[in-house]
Structure formats: C-alpha cells, structure tokens
C-alpha cells in the first residue's frame, strides 16, 4: 500500500556507477567513473554538455585530487568509462571523502553542479579487486529544503 | 615514505558511527545515530552545544524525514545513541540519500552546519540485522576549495 503510493510520487533518482581500487604495493588509488543513469531526473538542458567532477577531499596541495570527465549531452544512460588515479598512502586515503558531482558550464562560463554523491573512503580496502557500485545522486536543490523546514 | 609525509599533514578527520535497519514486514527504516569521534577536527566552539541533523532526502511531504539529536558540548568522543524511524517502502527508500550534518545554532539563532556525511541508500538491504559503520565527515569549508581551483 505504502509502496504503490510512494512509488508513484518518486520520479526515480539519477545514479552514478563508480569503481574503486587501492593497490598497496604502488600506494595507488584508482577511481573508475563508469556510467550515469536516469539523467532526465536531473532536469539538465538537453542541448548542453554535462560532465562529472570527481574530487578526493580534503585535498592536499601536493597531490592532484580534482578530475573531470569529458563532456556529454544528457541521455538516459551516459557511459563515461574514464579512469582517474592518484598516489596516496592507505591511512591518508581512509580519512578522505570522495565527491562526485554532475556539472555543466553556464553561459557565463561558471561551473554549475546540479547533483552529487559523497562517499566516505573510511573503509576502502587494500585489495587488487575493483569494487563497483551504483550511488544515488542527490540534487543540490534539495539542500535548501532542510533550511525552509527549520523555520517551522 | 608517502605515508609518513601525508600522515603528518592530515589532522585526522571526524567520523560519525551510524547504523541502519530495514524491516520489510513493517516497511520501517530505522537509523541509529551512535557516536561522533574526533570532534576537535571540526573546530567547533567549545562552549556551544552541537547536535546531529539527520535527513532522508528527497523528502516526501507526507512523511517525516528530518530529525535532530539532542545537543552536546564537543568532546573527543560524543555518544548520542539515538534512534530515528520512518515508514517507507523498500523501493522508495532505495532512491533516497541520507545526509547527516554536524550543526549548532549561531548567536543569531540560525542553524549552521559545519560538516557532514552523505550516504546513498541505493543498496540498503532488507535484513533484520542492524548494519553499523563509521563514516568520514567532510567539512563544508572544503567545498569552496573546488571552486577556487576551477579558476586556475
């Protein structure tokens, strides 16, 4: 009962598929940005390219921690299949948080990010296997929602 | 080598311990807000109470989705052990994202959130067992960092 009611209301969220691997021998963390599903839920302009911005935060000055995929027009399923890597010790990595945001460039040239996922790397394991998962994207438009509720 | 250098620079992040359980029989999602560690990394004023704000987003109008723990002075380890519950179908829950933010009230009475974790609920399982984990908290101060790097 509850299911059918909520299912009708929920428009279905957009998701991003990511993979991770940490190789302890080389102290190398690899991020696989695979695909983005249900783009229409993000209400992006159809004629404008979007891309994923990937950041390992907090960022150390000495290391590159910010990456962007190539741009792509929004479609139901967008395949990226891009790989980003950084050198970092396992103990430092486990204190990091990964942010993945869906962004585009506004007409004024500013980067605008409409939705994102945030993933704690506290339990990234030292394994040669790539661990792949789909993550829900949360629209940035929902964040002010919390604030308006505070005033009630 | 890399390890010792980065370890010295990293001040150690604050973490929150959360538990989840979804009971399919009652269509009930339960969030266990357990404890907060390494509070000093958040640089909160020592004489002001802080609390955790928990939101299951996007929020349906009909359901309560925003919760707050009681306030507590910042200490190295703050135990909350509070439990919040909501009724929701499993398919709707799997489209949600949980935000947990460390907040306090400014002198002007506004809620200010200094750091948070964001957890995709895409893979919440239907199990009677409580699944407990520590999540890194990302300071909101790091978000503008990305923007300043864009201009380079």
């Amino acid at each position: 009962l509850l299911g059918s009611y909520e299912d009708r209301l929920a428009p279905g969220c957009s998701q991003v598929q990511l993979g991770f691997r940490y190789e302890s021998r080389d102290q190398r963390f690899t991020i696989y940005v695979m695909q983005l599903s249900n783009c229409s839920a993000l209400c992006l302009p159809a004629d404008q390219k979007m891309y994923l911005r990937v950041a390992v935060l907090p960022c150390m000055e000495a290391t590159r921690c910010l990456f962007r995929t190539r741009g792509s027009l929004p479609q139901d399923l967008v395949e990226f299949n891009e790989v980003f890597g950084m050198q970092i010790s396992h103990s430092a990595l486990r204190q990091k948080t990964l942010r993945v945001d869906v962004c585009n460039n506004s007409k004024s040239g500013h980067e605008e990010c409409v939705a994102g996922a945030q993933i704690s790397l506290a339990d990234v394991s030292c394994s040669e296997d790539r661990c792949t998962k789909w993550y829900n994207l949360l629209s940035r438009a929902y964040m002010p929602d919390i604030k308006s509720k505070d005033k009630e």
Side-chain angles (χ1 to χ4, degrees), chain A:
Chain A
L1 201 88
L2 187 65
S4 59
Y5 172 70
E6 285 235 328
D7 290 348
R8 256 183 297 128
L9 288 175
C13 68
S14 183
Q15 291 189 319
V16 64
Q17 191 185 28
L18 301 172
F20 304 118
R21 188 164 65 167
Y22 186 76
E23 287 154 291
S24 46
R25 200 186 44 193
D26 311 317
Q27 299 204 311
R28 190 156 185 83
F29 179 53
T30 310
I31 304 162
Y32 301 84
V33 180
M34 301 167 78
Q35 41 190 348
L36 187 68
S37 74
N38 204 4
C39 249
S40 56
L42 301 174
C43 302
L44 291 161
D47 58 344
Q48 214 179 322
K49 283 192 177 179
M50 53 74 151
Y51 55 90
L52 294 180
R53 184 184 68 187
V54 177
V56 180
L57 301 167
C59 189
M60 310 296 287
E61 288 305 315
T63 325
R64 188 174 173 202
C65 63
L66 182 62
F67 311 92
R68 291 179 179 86
T69 66
R70 66 179 187 283
S72 176
L73 289 175
Q75 298 163 54
D76 222 38
L77 191 79
V78 182
E79 288 193 32
F80 289 102
N81 296 320
E82 289 191 50
V83 182
F84 304 112
M86 65 190 287
Q87 241 187 318
I88 187 168
S89 75
H90 192 239
S91 58
L93 183 65
R94 290 183 60 190
Q95 307 221 17
K96 303 285 185 189
T97 297
L98 186 82
R99 274 260 0 151
V100 178
D101 287 281
V102 181
C103 308
N104 61 24
N105 289 307
S106 71
K107 276 165 193 173
S108 63
H110 275 81
E111 178 169 68
E112 283 181 354
C113 299
V114 296
Q118 186 174 312
I119 299 142
S120 164
L121 299 176
D123 53 359
V124 162
S125 67
C126 271
S127 144
E128 302 304 300
D129 298 329
R130 180 169 75 176
C131 149
T132 304
K133 235 170 81 169
W134 284 95
Y135 296 88
N136 293 343
L137 293 171
L138 181 64
S139 165
R140 297 221 166 184
Y142 287 111
M143 304 308 284
D145 263 12
I146 298 178
K147 274 181 187 150
S148 70
K149 273 180 196 289
D150 292 341
K151 286 166 192 157
E152 282 165 22

